[in-house]
Structure formats: C-alpha cells, structure tokens
Amino acid sequence: DAMVIQNPRYQVTQFGKPVTLSCSQTLNHNVMYWYQQKSSQAPKLLFHYYDKDFNNEADTPDNFQSRRPNTSFCFLDIRSPGLGDAAMYLCATSRGHLDYTFGSGTRLTVV
Amino acid sequence: GQQLNQSPQSMFIQEGEDVSMNCTSSSIFNTWLWYKQEPGEGPVLLIALYKAGELTSNGRLTAQFGITRKDSFLNISASIPSDVGIYFCAGQLRNTPLVFGKGTRLSVIA
C-alpha cells in the first residue's frame, strides 16, 4: 500500500545531541511537510518542501532544519535538542496541497 | 496567521449518544477537512469538504461546510467506544498548507 513511513516511531536523544528523524513516501506526492505536535495540541507546521522549494514557517526556530534529497525522502534535523523540543513529529505529504496523508509520527524524548 | 477556533475542547459522552463539534474561523477557507487522531498515531482523514454548503457523510459521520466559508461542523451519530480520540478540523486556502484547529478530545463511556 502506498503510504508515508516515519522512522523511528520512538526516538530518545540527549539534551544538545543532534538528532535526525526520517520520512519516506511511496505516494509520489510532490509536497512534504514536517509538523510538531505537543501533547493535546494541534499539529504545528515547521516547514514544507514544495517540489525542491523549501518553505520555512516564520516562527520555526533555527534549531530545526530539513533536507529533501529526492522526491521520496525528507529528513528533520534538530541541531541541539532542548527539553522543550520533546514532542510528536509528524510527516505529511500532499499532491499540490491536496490529498494530505500523514505518517504515524515519531515521538521524540529529550533526556 | 489564520486561526481556527474548535469547540468543545473535550467531551465525555455515553455510548449511543450523538456528538457534535464545530470549527470557526475569522477568514474564509476553500476546503474544510476533519481528521481523527488516536494515541501514538498520525491524523487520519475522515471527511473532506470542498464547496460552501456541502454536506457529506462517511458512515456515522456527517460534516458540513458552512455557507459563509468560515465554519464547519462534524456530527457523529450513535457513538461507540472506538470513536474515542482527538478530532481536528483543518481549513485550507487554495495552494496553501492546512491550518489546524486545537482539537476536540472525545471520550465515550460504555
């Protein structure tokens, strides 16, 4: 089945230690998104790639970076995770901005 | 940026009861979407609405796109325990990312 796959499902990292979360898709969607979701809150858009064009939200901290080496893969890099960065990180894809499909998320714990 | 007001924040209902939740916005949207999220999972699309006034059903779920294009509601009829989760509305202007509401946490008491 075509889908959006996030690895790992659970990630524990040390305070200040760089961490990378990955997302892959088999839908051949041209847009990929990264959302941060804290407990009992709405998903918050960090950035998205529309094809190869990177679109950063104005309030996304510099600590968060992203890479999209090809259509199928997108990575979220957190350069120096703080305790406040503990959250569920959701990857989503869409065709244009239609047919959004979410992955199951990666829950990040910072210790 | 655009904001969606979703209410209620949480609901506790008896199995078999009907449920209603809604979203309002200060600005118009071209698309309204309703998602359900279960613990530890990503949001799953329930219903998509593309036209003002549109009323769409998906099993026991019914959603409407408000005529003003600034609101939408979701109804769940005859709730069952597996309806438990967080329901998010999301609005979208053409060619822009989704904007999410803050969610309605639904608990169903058997």
Side-chain angles (χ1 to χ4, degrees):
Chain A
D1 284 346
M3 55 176 53
V4 180
I5 301 166
Q6 290 189 243
N7 285 307
R9 291 293 307 272
Y10 301 92
Q11 175 76 57
V12 180
T13 191
Q14 289 182 327
F15 182 95
K17 185 176 179 182
V19 65
T20 294
L21 309 182
S22 74
C23 178
S24 64
Q25 54 129 341
T26 58
L27 295 158
N28 204 31
H29 281 174
N30 64 319
V31 190
M32 294 186 79
Y33 310 80
W34 280 104
Y35 286 84
Q36 180 193 64
Q37 186 179 28
K38 297 193 175 179
S39 184
S40 300
Q41 295 185 22
K44 178 181 179 301
L45 182 63
L46 295 174
F47 25 59
H48 72 279
Y49 275 93
Y50 196 111
D51 297 317
K52 294 182 180 178
D53 294 333
F54 179 69
N55 298 271
N56 199 30
E57 293 300 297
D59 57 354
T60 298
D62 291 341
N63 198 24
F64 291 88
Q65 305 283 320
S66 186
R67 296 170 284 134
R68 189 180 185 186
N70 54 53
T71 302
S72 302
F73 286 87
C74 195
F75 300 99
L76 170 62
D77 300 309
I78 308 177
R79 293 195 292 194
S80 182
L83 297 178
D85 296 328
M88 172 80 92
Y89 289 88
L90 294 165
C91 174
T93 70
S94 68
R95 180 174 51 84
H97 283 293
L98 299 175
D99 299 335
Y100 265 71
T101 304
F102 282 86
S104 296
T106 294
R107 181 163 295 283
L108 179 69
T109 300
V110 181
V111 298
Chain B
Q2 292 172 310
Q3 290 189 332
L4 296 183
N5 297 310
Q6 185 171 349
S7 65
Q9 280 189 318
S10 62
M11 303 180 74
F12 288 84
I13 60 167
Q14 292 277 2
E15 183 177 0
E17 288 184 356
D18 296 343
V19 172
S20 186
M21 59 192 79
N22 69 83
C23 264
T24 60
S25 170
S26 57
S27 52
I28 63 172
F29 287 108
N30 299 115
T31 302
W32 282 95
L33 304 167
W34 285 92
Y35 287 87
K36 180 186 177 187
Q37 187 175 26
E38 298 187 11
E41 297 294 331
V44 174
L45 181 65
L46 299 173
I47 293 181
L49 302 158
Y50 299 106
K51 209 164 135 183
E54 181 180 353
L55 183 72
T56 297
S57 293
N58 177 8
R60 293 179 295 106
L61 278 60
T62 302
Q64 185 156 32
F65 191 144
I67 291 194
T68 65
R69 296 167 65 191
K70 293 183 180 181
D71 63 308
S72 177
F73 72 74
L74 174 71
N75 288 342
I76 305 173
S77 62
S79 58
I80 59 178
S82 62
D83 290 333
V84 164
I86 302 178
Y87 291 79
F88 289 100
C89 64
Q92 187 178 35
L93 274 176
R94 199 166 285 118
N95 294 327
T96 62
L98 297 181
V99 177
F100 280 89
K102 291 189 176 179
T104 295
R105 183 180 293 273
L106 179 64
S107 301
V108 179
I109 304 165

